[in-house]
Amino acid sequence: MKRLLNIEWNKIFYYKSARIFTILYFLMLAAVGVILAYIKPEIGGIELDIAQLGFFNFPDIWQNIAYVVAIGKIFLGVIVIMNVTNEFSNGTLKQNLIDGLSKKEFLQSKILTNFIFAAVSTVFVFAISLILGFIFSNSQDAVFKGIDFIGAYFIKLSFFFSFCLFLALLLKKSAFSLLGLFVWWVVEGIISVVEVLIIMARNNGNIDPEGFFISNFLPLKSSANLINFPTMDPQGFITGKSIFVSSSVDWVFVVSSVFYTALFIWLSYRLLKKRDL
Amino acid sequence: MEKVLEIGHLTKKFGRMTAVDDLSFSVEKGNIYGLLGPNGSGKSTTLGIILNVVNPTIGSWKWFGEEPTTNSLKKIGAIIERPNFYPYLSAEKNLEIVAQIKGAEKHKIDEKLKLVGLLDRKHDKFRTFSLGMKQRLAIGAALLNDPEVLILDEPTNGLDPQGIIQIRELILQIASMGTTIILASHLLDEVEKVCSHVVILEKGKTLYSGRVDEMTAGFGYFEISSGDNHRLQEVLLSLPHFDRVSSENGNGLLKAILKEDLNGEALNKQLFEQGIVLKHLVKRKESLEQQFLQITKNQNG
């Protein structure tokens, strides 16, 4: 394993674009923390201070920060994709195999990288949330109560990178892989809308937003459902407390996301094994 | 002779196209083998299969008498089609990755860079190299683990005359150290200059397999048979006209390679005087060299 990591380290660390994007990504994570905490935009003459809204309160902060920074995963996703598609365009995948790396080892090295990216990113988000929480939270009780969202963040990133890895192996070109990601996202959206329309047609136009939707278990949607948009209740604001309602990670989506992570890794292996390079 | 590589009935189909068609040959230790054929004759596919990057449709092969694994690949050095490296890494870093994959010692990097004449450029990025330098770096990388076999696919493709000479000299230098070499090329001239043995491919089939000097025999050869081929062979060898007589083909025909000019009528007469009646007598005036040129000419035209 150390050998595979050494190989990957040489491939990525000295690749300027990957290094820049990685640094940018972590700077961005830090910047999000700073911006959320210290930039207070005025909307209609009222200063919007999200700290006042209870954004940084334990335990809600874990979900809030994890939700906000999750969009940044696309940065690392691009690196994951480039890291694989470059191996095709440089012909180095073929050369690696000829030199005696097995297809399995090649894939292992990429998956290891994915998990390391996910882990480092998770630790970073954990640290940011913890620091901001200690500075701004109005209560220091129940600090680690919502910590399950940090675990969910790790699963979410691991799934996303495995999916990117699969797309990159399938499509071989970074532009096509990113396009593939976008198309997949759109298709999932369309399926969701169609499902909603069908249910509404059956129930005379009524729908229960909390009800069961098959489309919630599509790959990207199920990973999105790991960390939902924080629930808010204006009542909390009026009473001067927090408008955020504490929630926890739905284990059903943990299971489905882990399943999809394994599925895409398995599909990647099959694809690589069968392909003539 | 120790067999380094044995290929048995290898076939690869891409859809309806058969790239390699029931190919069998073996490679003996210490020789330089040429894999000669026009573009699209299946050379690269064959090398791809024995190097584990292309899955065969059917057929098997053995490296060093064993079933192929990634470990056998670590005893082989190979470059396919073009030098494949990370363009953003220095020559040294690129070789470091190769060394990590092959499990070669780090100190070999400088040694091999020196061998291929790139030691003073080791800190320069791969993308700044000329094609000749890239090709030499590839050879250096392939040699990192001091392989028993070196496989080169069109190593002089696209190089200028000076680059071609450098690569050829390097190949001969490596061969003189006892490394077995398999060289794929579409250039007859290159194979003749460098190789001792040759396998000629056309549309995935073997056209000829044997020594290079036999291939270029200038006087042609007879395909010949009689009721008693054993006796025929003895008589033929007693005649002064032939270099060698072989029955390798397995089709009941002897192949008598001429070392001087002789026509069929004269041979028939001589054999009849010795009491041999022939069943089959064909003179192949056309040498394999000419056949090969014919193939490549058709390809290019």
Side-chain angles (χ1 to χ4, degrees):
Chain A
M1 195 169 104
K2 188 159 170 282
R3 165 172 164 257
L4 296 180
L5 281 178
N6 274 333
I7 293 170
E8 273 299 298
W9 175 259
N10 274 331
K11 286 180 188 174
I12 298 180
F13 183 76
Y14 298 93
Y15 184 33
K16 211 186 261 167
S17 326
R19 211 167 39 192
I20 289 171
F21 269 103
T22 313
I23 292 168
L24 271 179
Y25 170 77
F26 286 111
L27 281 178
M28 205 174 63
L29 288 191
V32 165
V34 174
I35 289 167
L36 286 175
Y38 294 103
I39 309 286
K40 292 161 188 163
E42 275 192 26
I43 299 170
I46 304 162
E47 192 188 59
L48 183 73
D49 182 356
I50 58 169
Q52 290 290 318
L53 297 175
F55 186 87
F56 298 114
N57 286 359
F58 288 121
D60 304 334
I61 185 171
W62 300 114
Q63 180 180 7
N64 295 347
I65 298 281
Y67 179 82
V68 171
V69 298
I71 185 72
K73 69 183 184 292
I74 194 74
F75 266 70
L76 293 182
V78 169
I79 293 172
V80 167
I81 287 173
M82 282 199 312
N83 185 23
V84 174
T85 53
N86 274 344
E87 303 263 13
F88 283 107
S89 56
N90 294 332
T92 43
L93 165 56
K94 200 169 172 179
Q95 192 63 45
N96 280 178
L97 298 182
I98 289 169
D99 288 339
L101 200 70
S102 70
K103 286 179 173 177
K104 197 174 165 187
E105 283 175 322
F106 179 83
L107 196 64
Q108 277 173 341
S109 72
K110 297 298 174 202
I111 292 167
L112 265 173
T113 314
N114 286 357
F115 282 124
I116 287 173
F117 270 140
V120 173
S121 180
T122 303
V123 168
F124 215 80
V125 169
F126 170 78
I128 290 173
S129 306
L130 198 65
I131 292 166
L132 289 174
F134 279 137
I135 298 174
F136 295 103
S137 178
N138 55 9
S139 139
Q140 305 295 337
D141 310 330
V143 168
F144 294 111
K145 195 173 160 243
I147 198 88
D148 47 341
F149 282 101
I150 297 298
Y153 183 76
F154 176 74
I155 294 169
K156 191 181 165 85
L157 290 195
S158 303
F159 158 76
F160 185 68
F161 299 154
S162 304
F163 186 52
C164 288
L165 173 67
F166 169 73
L167 285 177
L169 284 171
L170 183 71
L171 302 169
K172 297 189 209 170
K173 298 236 157 45
S174 37
F176 288 145
S177 307
L178 287 168
L179 210 59
L181 186 63
F182 179 70
V183 168
W184 188 293
W185 180 70
V186 169
V187 168
E188 278 198 14
I190 292 170
I191 293 173
S192 295
V193 170
V194 168
E195 193 189 11
V196 166
L197 289 176
I198 290 172
I199 293 175
M200 283 173 74
R202 280 188 188 155
N203 296 332
N204 306 321
N206 297 318
I207 193 155
D208 171 19
E210 301 293 311
F212 178 82
F213 296 99
I214 297 169
S215 55
N216 267 340
F217 291 92
L218 292 170
L220 290 178
K221 196 77 204 301
S222 105
S223 121
N225 283 332
L226 280 172
I227 304 168
N228 275 315
F229 186 75
T231 322
M232 284 182 247
D233 179 8
Q235 201 65 38
F237 185 61
I238 295 161
T239 55
K241 282 174 159 179
S242 165
I243 70 163
F244 294 95
V245 178
S246 301
S247 62
S248 59
V249 178
D250 190 341
W251 65 270
V252 175
F253 295 114
V254 171
V255 172
S256 63
S257 295
V258 170
F259 166 75
Y260 280 124
T261 308
L263 179 72
F264 282 114
I265 288 174
W266 181 74
L267 285 175
S268 302
Y269 181 64
R270 291 265 305 192
L271 194 66
L272 197 58
K273 198 81 188 167
K274 292 218 156 174
R275 181 173 282 165
D276 295 323
L277 296 156
Chain B
M1 257 303 194
E2 195 184 327
K3 286 212 167 95
V4 166
L5 169 67
E6 292 162 80
I7 295 181
H9 304 287
L10 208 59
T11 298
K12 173 68 186 178
K13 290 180 180 164
F14 292 108
R16 293 172 66 188
M17 206 268 288
T18 306
V20 179
D21 194 351
D22 197 32
L23 182 68
S24 300
F25 68 91
S26 56
V27 169
E28 281 165 2
K29 196 178 162 81
N31 291 316
I32 309 184
Y33 276 76
L35 206 55
L36 183 63
N39 296 329
S41 58
K43 302 181 301 275
S44 294
T45 309
T46 306
L47 295 182
I49 293 171
I50 60 174
L51 292 170
N52 275 5
V53 288
V54 176
N55 301 313
T57 310
I58 37 171
S60 64
W61 70 98
K62 280 182 178 177
W63 282 112
F64 315 107
E66 290 165 16
E67 293 302 316
T69 62
T70 47
N71 272 336
S72 43
L73 287 179
K74 287 173 192 159
K75 288 193 263 177
I76 298 164
I79 46 172
I80 277 204
E81 284 155 13
R82 66 188 172 99
N84 294 322
F85 289 102
Y86 299 91
Y88 52 88
L89 293 182
S90 66
E92 191 185 25
K93 272 284 167 208
N94 266 303
L95 291 199
E96 204 177 303
I97 291 179
V98 178
Q100 281 164 343
I101 292 175
K102 286 178 181 282
E105 304 272 342
K106 246 185 167 179
H107 68 84
K108 290 272 177 190
I109 294 172
D110 276 6
E111 181 192 319
K112 300 305 172 191
L113 280 171
K114 196 174 171 201
L115 177 72
V116 297
L118 289 172
L119 191 56
D120 52 336
R121 296 290 304 265
K122 76 173 188 176
H123 295 301
D124 293 346
K125 288 199 167 73
F126 175 71
R127 64 161 167 261
T128 65
F129 283 15
S130 73
L131 186 59
M133 291 162 74
K134 287 177 176 175
Q135 198 63 269
R136 277 186 283 145
L137 183 67
I139 294 177
L143 291 172
L144 265 180
N145 52 339
D146 294 317
E148 292 175 41
V149 190
L150 181 64
I151 294 176
L152 303 161
D153 190 359
E154 306 279 5
T156 58
N157 225 3
L159 297 183
D160 57 20
Q162 199 198 346
I164 292 174
I165 291 167
Q166 280 178 340
I167 296 286
R168 285 190 186 154
E169 279 175 354
L170 194 57
I171 294 171
L172 291 171
Q173 189 190 341
I174 294 159
S176 70
M177 298 187 283
T179 312
T180 310
I181 294 178
I182 302 173
L183 171 83
S185 177
H186 66 282
L187 303 169
L188 179 65
D189 167 62
E190 179 162 279
V191 170
E192 276 187 309
K193 281 203 172 100
V194 176
C195 302
S196 58
H197 290 69
V198 66
V199 177
I200 303 183
L201 292 180
E202 190 208 1
K203 291 178 184 155
K205 288 192 162 134
T206 321
L207 204 70
Y208 173 85
S209 174
R211 297 189 59 86
V212 170
D213 44 16
E214 279 179 22
M215 178 182 82
T216 51
F219 298 101
Y221 59 91
F222 283 105
E223 275 183 1
I224 190 167
S225 78
S226 75
D228 182 357
N229 274 349
H230 194 68
R231 162 122 176 87
L232 175 62
Q233 188 164 8
E234 278 174 18
V235 175
L236 284 172
L237 284 170
S238 71
L239 295 172
H241 316 296
F242 300 103
D243 225 5
R244 263 169 21 88
V245 181
S246 63
S247 54
E248 277 167 11
N249 293 347
N251 51 3
L253 298 178
L254 298 179
K255 191 161 113 184
I257 293 139
L258 284 165
K259 63 178 170 190
E260 59 187 43
D261 202 21
L262 180 74
N263 64 35
E265 199 183 344
L267 176 65
N268 199 0
K269 194 164 169 247
Q270 285 185 39
L271 290 171
F272 194 74
E273 281 163 6
Q274 301 260 3
I276 291 175
V277 182
L278 294 174
K279 281 204 298 196
H280 180 102
L281 176 68
V282 176
K283 183 172 183 187
R284 300 273 183 211
K285 183 73 183 166
E286 200 178 40
S287 73
L288 278 154
E289 180 173 12
Q290 283 165 314
Q291 283 185 38
F292 179 76
L293 290 174
Q294 198 65 38
I295 298 164
T296 41
K297 201 172 128 199
N298 291 344
Q299 274 271 325
N300 297 333

